[in-house]
Amino acid sequence: MSSSHRPPVLPSPALHGTVRGAVLALLAGLSTLCGLFVAAAPAGAAQAPARTQAQSQAQARSQVHAPVRLGAPATGGTAGQRIADALKASPVYVDPAYAGAVPPARQKQLVARIGRTHLPIKVALVPLVKGDAFDGDSTVLQGVLHDRLGMGNLILITMDGEFGDTLTGQEWPDDTHQVMDAASAVGLMDDMKSAGLADRVAKAIDLIASGDGKKAYDQATADIGGPPTTAKAEHGKGGSAGSGPGAVVWLLVVAAVVVLGGGAGWLLRRRSMARRASPFAFPREVFAAEEVADESALRRRAEAEVIALGEAVEDADAGSRPGLARALDAYAAAGKVLDGARGIPDLAGVLALVAEGRDAFDGRFDALPLCFFDPLHGRAARRLVWRPLGSRDTLRVAACAECATAVEQHRAPEVLTDTATDGRRVPYFEVPAGESVWAATGYGSLVPPPAPVAQAAADAADAGAGDRSVDRDTGPGGIAPRVLDGDFPRPRRPR
């Protein structure tokens, strides 16, 4: 007999309880999801040259054993400079807005906690609001403080301007101590949801010191987006699978799974803004897995780094900064590219120009550029000789440690891709150099450095190597002159 011919079946008290339980479960799931929206927001990071480990440890020890001076608000100078000056005196700076949540006694405890880690940790608790000195963006604040502090090795913990009073973190030159995961995990832990700001900062410091940030993050998000637990409800012999109150229960469960699954997807997308996915294979090459959906996040990061560089060069004295003119050129070029950026390759070019500007500003004319194969990997670790597929000549390029190892082990490294005129995705350096300033310069690897001493050092390093390595370009040093001379944007010729 079809269900349409059955008399109405009144739900039993037990089924009433089941429906009520499902409703409560859905509401609890929505509440949890709201908490995740507030808590999860890893931020992007700026790239910077690394100091030696000995320098980092020495700086950390001097910070530890110096007299405890709390980060009281400083006066004079820009907002970024004032906070940086306070952080030079104490590793913990607390804006008056957070003085009630982190009083002087708790600040001293945090200073002592940082001291025990022997790591270059700085904490800057500053409220971020759209339109303020940092435009409410934690990445801008972090970039400015990194430049003003002048520390190669630095771990920063700040507030996340996008998600209320949650924490975010960044480490230079790379995320060795899983800082981003540690700061994000704190906001997702059950035992931290009702904790005060000082306790959350302390927890973040402990996770960073232990190096377990990723593990903690994975544990805190283990149940998000996982396969739903299937429970079979026994309703006796009456009713059909597709009708009656049982169907209501099932629909509520499905709705909860969909909502929570969507929240999990959002959370993972937020996390992937700073983490690159695994590479995927093309017939001729292993390409970097470019997350097109994250282009907006990369654009925000590029904007933050351009702003930070601009603030650094704004009031600089040319007499004490021999490379200031080149830094200003790189700043102007980075702004030009950012304004006309049409995709990830152009935004990566902004980061390469900012790195070039910072090196010039600090007088590091022998610094390596960003990774040739994918500048989003960050600063190159060393130079190597590499032969492009199908070419008899080799190139001397700068590569990050991971890509250098891949080349040395005869594996294809991850590469940044661009779109050819026929619509194919190809390694960016396979685009004709006449159509792409990035292919022509290799994001800094294929052009002479902006100082003769750096070129001489590079040539000396290759002397006697016996290879046929060549440089693709012998024009003026650096990328910035080419951009300012009109090499960007360069229209693609149809084939």
Side-chain angles (χ1 to χ4, degrees), residues 316-322 361:
D317 178 15
S320 60
R321 298 282 184 178
F361 182 76

Side-chain angles (χ1 to χ4, degrees), residues 261-285:
W266 178 89
L267 180 62
L268 294 176
R269 286 195 298 273
R270 288 290 304 171
R271 191 182 183 190
S272 70
M273 288 180 181
R275 289 192 174 277
R276 299 183 60 78
S278 301
F280 54 89
F282 273 63
R284 294 185 303 123
E285 193 77 49

Side-chain angles (χ1 to χ4, degrees), residues 384-408:
L384 53 84
V385 175
W386 174 71
R387 183 173 64 84
L389 188 68
S391 173
R392 296 182 59 188
D393 292 328
T394 57
L395 296 174
R396 186 180 62 242
V397 299
C400 68
E402 184 176 352
C403 288
T405 299
V407 171
E408 291 166 354

Side-chain angles (χ1 to χ4, degrees), residues 127-137 140 161:
L128 296 169
V129 181
K130 194 72 174 176
D132 62 15
F134 312 104
D135 199 28
D137 192 333
V140 174

Side-chain angles (χ1 to χ4, degrees), residues 19 32 45 77 96 98 152 183 188 196 236 263 274 286 295 309 350 365 377 399 410 416 449:
V19 173
T32 301
Y98 291 118
L188 301 172
V286 177
E295 182 179 329
L309 177 61
V350 175
F365 302 118
H377 291 171
H410 306 288
L416 183 70

Side-chain angles (χ1 to χ4, degrees), residues 6-175:
R6 288 195 184 104
V9 178
L10 295 178
S12 66
L15 192 54
H16 273 302
T18 305
V19 173
R20 180 175 179 274
V23 173
L24 292 177
L26 175 59
L27 293 177
L30 292 173
S31 176
T32 301
L33 179 57
C34 291
L36 292 176
F37 280 148
V38 172
Q47 301 293 331
R51 292 186 177 184
T52 65
Q53 186 68 20
Q55 286 175 310
S56 174
Q57 292 177 348
Q59 185 173 37
R61 284 193 295 271
S62 65
Q63 172 178 290
V64 170
H65 298 297
V68 174
R69 290 173 287 184
L70 300 181
T75 58
T78 64
Q81 187 63 59
R82 291 197 302 270
I83 298 170
D85 289 343
L87 288 173
K88 290 176 183 178
S90 167
V92 177
Y93 171 84
V94 179
D95 186 90
Y98 291 118
V102 190
R106 295 306 306 272
Q107 294 179 42
K108 289 181 179 179
Q109 292 174 1
L110 292 176
V111 170
R113 202 179 208 96
I114 292 172
R116 291 191 292 270
T117 68
H118 300 288
L119 293 174
I121 298 175
K122 302 282 188 181
V123 177
L125 302 181
V126 181
L128 296 169
V129 181
K130 194 72 174 176
D132 62 15
F134 312 104
D135 199 28
D137 192 333
S138 59
T139 59
V140 174
L141 169 63
Q142 292 164 353
V144 169
L145 293 181
H146 174 243
D147 281 339
R148 296 291 181 168
L149 288 169
M151 297 171 61
N153 284 44
L154 175 64
I155 295 172
L156 265 179
I157 300 174
T158 68
M159 307 304 298
D160 190 324
E162 190 174 358
F163 292 93
D165 63 348
T166 57
L167 297 174
T168 185
Q170 193 59 46
E171 180 175 8
W172 288 267
D174 49 42
D175 202 27

